[in-house]
Amino acid sequence: MAEFRRGTAVMLQNGEAATIIKKIGEGGQGSVYLVDIRGSEYALKWYHANSLNSPRKFYKNLENNIELGAPTQSFLWPKFLTEITNGEFGYVMDLKPDGYKSFSDFLL
């Protein structure tokens, strides 16, 4: 399981790098980091290798979602996919805006 330190560069599929600023969350599937890309801050969701049943299918699905784009601007949607590193990967999305409600808040 990758644990990134401040200043670590995570390579994106498009050849750019996301630079780790700090960890901002953690859950059962992985960790979320605050990252910098070209002077803008984003969230990086990083999946742990053992947290997914079909990691290659999941990676391909994320790739398709990025290509298709968000259904509406209301969704926090993947923007960039990382390269696969030691069987782990992640995606970059916008940071959650103030007042944003997670879909899971409505399910509980």
Side-chain angles (χ1 to χ4, degrees):
M1 169 173 76
E3 185 71 27
F4 298 119
R5 293 183 175 196
R6 180 178 179 82
T8 301
V10 178
M11 294 308 299
L12 304 177
Q13 199 181 48
N14 65 7
E16 294 188 77
T19 304
I20 302 295
I21 298 172
K22 66 179 182 178
K23 183 188 264 187
I24 55 177
E26 189 163 15
Q29 289 186 314
S31 302
V32 179
Y33 294 88
L34 177 64
V35 297
D36 176 90
I37 302 172
R38 290 178 267 119
S40 295
E41 292 183 345
Y42 296 93
L44 167 66
K45 169 72 176 192
W46 188 260
Y47 291 96
H48 301 310
N50 60 355
S51 70
L52 303 170
N53 290 330
S54 302
R56 293 279 180 196
K57 286 182 182 179
F58 193 79
Y59 188 86
K60 184 65 177 165
N61 186 56
L62 285 170
E63 198 170 46
N64 290 337
N65 286 341
I66 290 168
E67 187 176 313
L68 293 172
T72 74
Q73 294 297 320
S74 300
F75 285 85
L76 285 176
W77 203 255
K79 292 180 145 326
F80 311 109
L81 196 55
T82 71
E83 293 181 354
I84 298 172
T85 306
N86 298 322
E88 297 185 343
F89 58 87
Y91 67 85
V92 173
M93 65 183 172
D94 288 328
L95 290 167
K96 183 172 72 169
D98 291 338
Y100 180 85
K101 298 288 186 194
S102 173
F103 183 69
S104 62
D105 292 344
F106 298 101
L107 297 175
L108 302 174

